[in-house]
Amino acid sequence: MTGELDLEDRRALRRVAGLSTELTDVTEVEYRALRLERVVLIGVWTDGTAEAADNSLRELALLAETAGSQVLEGMIQRRSRPDPATYIGAGKAAELRDVVAATGADTVICDGELSPSQLRHLEETVQVKVIDRTALILDIFAQHARSREGKAQVELAQLDYLLPRLRGWGGNLSRQVGGRAAGGVGIGGRGPGETKIELDRRRIRARMAKLRRQIADMAKARDTKRGERRRNEVPAVAIAGYTNAGKSSLLNRLTGAGVLVENALFATLDPTVRRAQTPGGRAYTLADTVGFVRHLPHQLVEAFRSTLEEVADADLILHVVDGADADPEAQIDAVREVLREIGAEGIPELVVINKADAADELTLARLQRREPHSVVVSARTGAGIAELRAAIEADLPGLERELRVLVPYDRGDLVAQVHSRGEVLKLEHLAEGTALHARVPDDLAGELERFEDLAPTP
């Protein structure tokens, strides 16, 4: 199975702690590869309940572990808003420095997006590397991207995040001053040209422009495939949902796709499209997409826009929810926020409450009351899958015409089209040809009408 091979490959290379040969100067962190080993988490609780703040920090811990780090400690600061200088305030930053020293941590991860100045001031205080939630998610995406398009999308998002956060090494490198502008500066006032940081920014912008062109070219192939499916009028169903809600497991259960399944956040990034059939025999495509998360970095939404168009162009969205999560309602809201951002809020939605085998019955009942148009399933055990297939069939775009025809055996191509594009209600092989009772699209009905008179009476 492809997924099992991917999982084996992913586990073949693991980080070994304590073998770093990186520079010790904390001001040079942006030029190093992101290395997470022993981390302390810090969050700012500005609104909502204490339980919601704890859940957010627990999710950050799962993200950190997915990236390959060991979480040593977690702290939450109650504030009306993040401190503009150090994110958590000077007093809490000093306390954080003591915790880092006591635990021997080499990285601090903040549960939010830090501005460049907040990042710099906090690093100066705690004297270890500081990253934010966005950088952590980007690092996980970089580890898990497999396809050429996925790698290009992640690199674009990383460069977009890095560009405003570059800090130069050489404060002594001056800008070039030439000609009359050097008047008053004197001999030796004309510097060596661009500073290192200016050179880096120019190279990053050039690389970003090249990546955007590559992604646009790759998106054309995806558009061609979607256009072919639309011409054949094959309905498209997209699986969307929170990361680790069980989307890939559901795809495997419905289609036998064999894609990678792992109990980790953002285990699969590259979209997988497979063909499936309703209980009535109607064909449709099922697409597994990248998972969403609270505060999904906008750089990723922009970079993965061509991939997320699989959701925006679908006829039906299967919104998968982890019924065993501590706060599944927050997951639903986070996913719908991203769906609005990509213009998919108007597409019919079927909520699939997954992991019924591990979820609390009261939670399942609460979710069903909140989401009346929902199905409870377990992708692991197969419970509720039959009900899900029936619900998908009911929610697919309707077939306009119902016909009874007798198709001659030399027109087997029409029978094949009825199977792939329509819904066969009854089929019988007679001496004269294939007797069909089916629901089909209008254009196919036009080709079949001439065989109606030949059909046997029901």
Side-chain angles (χ1 to χ4, degrees), residues 9 19 22-23 45 83 85 110 210 358 365:
D9 180 54
L19 299 182
E22 295 182 29
L23 298 168
W45 171 24
D83 181 68
C110 296
K210 183 178 179 181

Side-chain angles (χ1 to χ4, degrees), residues 1-10 146 252 257-262 268 274:
M1 298 286 279
T2 305
E4 292 176 1
L5 292 174
D6 287 343
L7 193 58
E8 191 175 310
D9 180 54
R10 182 173 295 175
R146 300 298 301 272
N252 289 344
V259 298
L260 181 145
V261 173
E262 183 180 9
T268 50
R274 291 290 183 269

Side-chain angles (χ1 to χ4, degrees), residues 242-247 249-250 262-265 320-325 331 352-361 364 375-381 383:
Y242 213 76
T243 180
N244 208 31
K247 299 181 298 301
S249 299
L250 193 64
E262 183 180 9
N263 184 23
L265 305 186
V320 184
V321 181
D322 182 355
D325 187 73
Q331 287 192 359
V352 183
I353 305 169
N354 192 24
K355 304 187 183 179
D357 55 310
D360 178 62
E361 290 186 8
L364 295 178
V375 181
V376 176
V377 305
S378 170
R380 188 176 68 85
T381 66

